[in-house]
Amino acid sequence: MTKMPWPVVPIKFCEHLKGKKPSEITTPMLRRLSCGGMMHHCAARAVEAMIAAAKADGVILKPTSSGDTFRSIEQQRAGFVTRYSKTPLPNASTRTWNGEKWYLKPGNAPLAAPNDDPKTCSRHMLGIAIDIANTGNKKVMDWLLANEQRFGFSHEVVEMPGAEPWHVRFTEGQAMPQAVLDYEASKPE
């Protein structure tokens, strides 16, 4: 893995998301991505610009799946109960949900508990996070680390355990980064 530091920037929520619970995210707040999936419209603008810039540099950025962009609370709940069990498992990482300890089943990637709380929920449930495919590829990860902040993205967790090199979230609210505005201005109408 690359030795570059992972940028971690606090999130500035746009006016459409401030204080919103995941259960309050509605379809009109989301935009379909050209690469599959949906994100909050501000984050979607930024990810489209970032993907185009990466492509111009010979790097393919895309989500690991369309389910690794916006996830409804129902999708998060379904994924969580598939990956975790209330039965204790030796050496398993754990999550707490509804006051109960859940154990990650072997062979599964971690997933946030489906909390309907804007402070503790997965950023996927607010439509501002995307899991980038192939971050184990040095070229992809190096490009992401060198450029994500230009497009308003940041990693979330950098200390192990729990570090997810593929997981970035949009941090700039409605203050759209210049790189995004430049990309949008260059697109033919």
Side-chain angles (χ1 to χ4, degrees):
M1 177 79 48
T2 183
K3 295 196 187 307
M4 293 176 71
W6 293 6
V8 177
V9 176
I11 296 171
K12 297 176 218 145
F13 289 101
C14 78
E15 61 191 29
H16 313 106
L17 289 177
K18 273 190 183 158
K20 292 270 189 222
K21 295 178 180 180
S23 60
E24 298 171 326
I25 305 302
T26 60
T27 303
M29 299 168 75
L30 303 171
R31 190 174 114 196
R32 213 160 271 297
L33 299 173
S34 63
C35 57
M38 295 189 300
M39 292 184 79
H40 179 268
H41 58 85
C42 291
R45 289 173 60 195
V47 82
E48 294 286 7
M50 186 168 71
I51 287 170
K55 185 176 181 181
D57 290 342
V59 174
I60 303 300
L61 293 186
K62 61 183 180 180
T64 52
S65 77
S66 61
D68 291 324
T69 57
F70 168 74
R71 288 186 207 123
S72 69
I73 195 164
E74 294 80 17
Q75 290 168 316
Q76 190 78 13
R77 185 179 294 118
F80 185 83
V81 299
T82 299
R83 295 181 190 192
Y84 287 83
S85 168
K86 288 193 251 182
T87 304
L89 298 167
N91 304 317
S93 66
T94 62
R95 297 274 195 259
T96 301
W97 178 43
N98 290 337
E100 296 182 281
K101 188 179 269 192
W102 291 73
Y103 299 83
L104 184 63
K105 296 174 187 174
N108 285 283
L111 191 69
N115 298 318
D116 196 23
D117 178 344
K119 292 182 179 137
T120 62
C121 71
S122 165
R123 300 309 181 207
H124 289 285
M125 295 166 60
L126 298 175
I128 62 171
I130 182 170
D131 291 344
I132 303 291
N134 303 316
T135 55
N137 176 313
K138 184 176 177 1
K139 184 176 178 181
V140 171
M141 189 64 175
D142 285 352
W143 192 96
L144 192 61
L145 290 172
N147 292 281
E148 65 190 52
Q149 286 187 286
R150 286 190 321 127
F151 296 92
F153 285 88
S154 165
H155 276 81
E156 190 161 19
V157 180
V158 296
E159 299 297 325
M160 291 303 280
E164 298 179 337
W166 56 84
H167 179 84
V168 295
R169 77 271 200 280
F170 185 66
T171 61
E172 299 308 302
Q174 64 255 30
M176 203 52 62
Q178 190 62 48
V180 177
L181 298 175
D182 292 345
Y183 164 74
E184 292 176 337
S186 72
K187 287 176 34 180
E189 291 193 35

